[in-house]
Amino acid sequence: MQKDILRHELGHLFGAPNEQRQDIYAHLGMHCQTDLCVMQQKESMDIAKQYANLRARLNAGTYCEKCQQDIINFKPNSK
């Protein structure tokens, strides 16, 4: 589960999910709606644990294709 949390937060740091997408929702930041994507937001730690265990059992990839593209296309703000 700790790896999923770290990957989720790193995804945010690198622009996933992109706010311009249609298949996202705002709940403590923007989150992905795609099944098994690590960028989904869960309501509690118990639900997050269950989701992480499901992702592990199904050998799910970390990010869905859209979140992967968001990360690849990420352009940091230069100040």
Side-chain angles (χ1 to χ4, degrees):
M1 183 176 121
Q2 291 88 351
K3 288 180 183 179
D4 273 5
I5 293 170
L6 179 61
R7 291 172 180 151
H8 177 96
E9 296 307 328
L10 285 171
H12 282 305
L13 287 173
F14 290 99
N18 183 306
E19 293 182 8
Q20 305 305 313
R21 287 178 32 194
Q22 299 296 315
D23 61 340
I24 60 173
Y25 59 98
H27 178 50
L28 301 174
M30 294 301 185
H31 292 92
C32 184
Q33 292 180 352
T34 304
D35 287 339
L36 300 177
C37 182
V38 78
M39 294 307 297
Q40 285 191 10
Q41 176 70 27
K42 298 304 175 194
E43 296 295 321
S44 70
M45 288 305 292
D46 285 338
I47 294 170
K49 282 183 194 178
Q50 291 171 8
Y51 186 64
N53 289 335
L54 173 64
R55 287 179 27 76
R57 277 195 316 274
L58 297 175
N59 199 27
T62 303
Y63 304 101
C64 69
E65 288 183 30
K66 292 178 184 177
C67 284
Q68 286 178 17
Q69 284 304 308
D70 292 341
I71 292 167
I72 289 167
N73 296 327
F74 176 67
K75 303 275 190 278
N77 294 334
S78 55
K79 295 181 181 187

